[in-house]
Amino acid sequence: MNIYIKNTKEIKKMRISGNLASNVMNMISKYVIPGTTTEQLDNICHDYIVYEQNAIPGCLGYHGFPKSTCISVNNTVCHGIPRKDQILKNGDIVNIDVAVIKNKYYSDTSKMFIVGETNTLSKQLCHAAKKSLYITFKKIKPGIPVNIIGNTIQNYIDSTPFSIVKEYCGHGIGKNFHEKPYILHYKNQDTTILFKKGMIFTIEPIINAGTCEVFCMNDNWTICTKDDQLSAQYEHTVLVTKNGCEILTKRTQEKIHKKYINI
C-alpha cells in the first residue's frame, strides 16, 4: 500500500490547516441553537472559511457535494446536506463536519452539538462517540499496527448499548482529501500496515444508538440509520510523531492533550 509520509514542511502546513478547521468549530458553536436552519450554519461556516481564514471549504464541490459542510441531525449518520427547510429544535443532536484547504493541504474534523436541552440517551450516545475517538490517541506510535484503532474502539463500544457503523472509515489526508491508509473503526485482523512517523490520517468513528445498519437517501449523499435511531460522530486529524501522536485539529476547549507520548 502506497502511504504518503509527510515531511517537515508539509506537516507545518497541515498544522495551519488543522488549526483553521478547529477554529471553525469554535466559531460555529454559538449559532447551533433552536430555530437556526442547517443551511444558515453552512453559510456561516462558508463565509468564515473563505473571508476570515482566506481558505477553501474542502467539502464544497467534492465529488459534486453541494455545500461547504456536512451537517447531520439526529438519525442522519453522515454526509447530511444542509437545507433551508431543516430547522433545529430543542433536543436535537447535530454533527458538523468541516474540511479546510489552506496552502493546498486539507484538514478534516467533526463534532457533536446538542441543541438546547436533550435526553439522557442522546447525551450518552454523544459521550460514547467522543470517548471512542479519544481513547485511541494513547495507542498510536510508530511500529504499532494501524488496526489497534479499530480494536480499541470496538472493545469500548462493546461495553455500551451502542453499535459501530462499518461502512465508513478514517483515511489518510494531505494534498488529497482522502488518501491511504484507510482507518477501520471496528475489530480487524490486518496487521500489515504499521504507524510511521509523518503519517497523517483521520479517525472518525460513527456510533449508532440502535443497530449499525444504514442506508442512503435519494439525494445520493445523506446516510441515515436503518432503524431511525440516533447516530453520533467525532473526528480529528492526527499526526504520528516519533513517540506518539499529535492532534492537528484539537479545539482549544477540548479536555484532551495536543500531543501524546506513548512509550
Side-chain angles (χ1 to χ4, degrees), residues 16-86:
I16 293 170
S17 179
N19 185 58
L20 293 179
S22 69
N23 288 342
V24 177
M25 289 300 187
N26 292 334
M27 177 278 302
I28 198 61
S29 60
K30 66 182 178 182
Y31 300 100
V32 187
I33 56 176
T36 303
T37 68
T38 53
E39 184 174 81
Q40 286 174 323
L41 294 177
D42 181 74
N43 289 338
I44 293 167
C45 289
H46 174 91
D47 289 349
Y48 185 78
I49 293 168
V50 173
Y51 301 113
E52 297 293 328
Q53 297 184 334
N54 193 27
I56 299 169
C59 293
L60 184 61
Y62 184 75
H63 291 311
F65 190 78
K67 296 291 184 176
S68 295
T69 60
C70 297
I71 302 182
S72 303
V73 182
N74 293 334
N75 69 330
T76 301
V77 170
C78 61
H79 303 160
I81 299 175
R83 308 192 318 262
K84 63 182 177 183
D85 63 347
Q86 187 174 41

Side-chain angles (χ1 to χ4, degrees), residues 61-204:
Y62 184 75
H63 291 311
F65 190 78
K67 296 291 184 176
S68 295
T69 60
C70 297
I71 302 182
S72 303
V73 182
N74 293 334
N75 69 330
T76 301
V77 170
C78 61
H79 303 160
I81 299 175
R83 308 192 318 262
K84 63 182 177 183
D85 63 347
Q86 187 174 41
I87 303 170
L88 299 184
K89 62 184 184 300
N90 189 65
D92 285 343
I93 60 171
V94 183
N95 178 273
I96 299 181
D97 192 340
V98 171
V100 172
I101 309 169
K102 184 71 173 181
N103 300 318
K104 299 182 179 180
Y105 283 85
Y106 283 83
S107 61
D108 193 8
T109 188
S110 83
K111 74 177 293 284
M112 298 303 297
F113 296 86
I114 292 175
V115 183
E117 294 295 325
T118 195
N119 57 44
T120 300
L121 174 64
S122 297
K123 292 177 182 177
Q124 289 176 340
L125 178 65
C126 291
H127 173 77
K130 180 166 64 175
K131 184 174 179 179
S132 74
L133 170 63
Y134 286 0
I135 59 177
T136 66
F137 301 150
K138 293 182 179 181
K139 305 290 185 178
I140 299 169
K141 63 180 179 180
I144 299 294
V146 168
N147 75 337
I148 190 68
I149 291 177
N151 294 346
T152 300
I153 291 171
Q154 185 161 3
N155 283 338
Y156 166 62
I157 293 299
D158 282 351
S159 71
T160 74
F162 307 131
S163 63
I164 306 166
V165 173
K166 296 183 178 180
E167 284 83 352
Y168 300 93
C169 60
H171 51 87
I173 188 169
K175 274 192 172 180
N176 301 297
F177 200 165
H178 295 87
E179 301 176 348
K180 296 176 182 178
Y182 303 112
I183 307 296
L184 302 181
H185 302 121
Y186 55 90
K187 280 187 179 178
N188 62 95
Q189 303 303 315
D190 184 2
T191 58
T192 60
I193 307 169
L194 306 180
F195 292 121
K196 294 182 180 178
K197 180 185 174 183
M199 284 174 61
I200 299 180
F201 50 85
T202 69
I203 309 174
E204 44 187 298

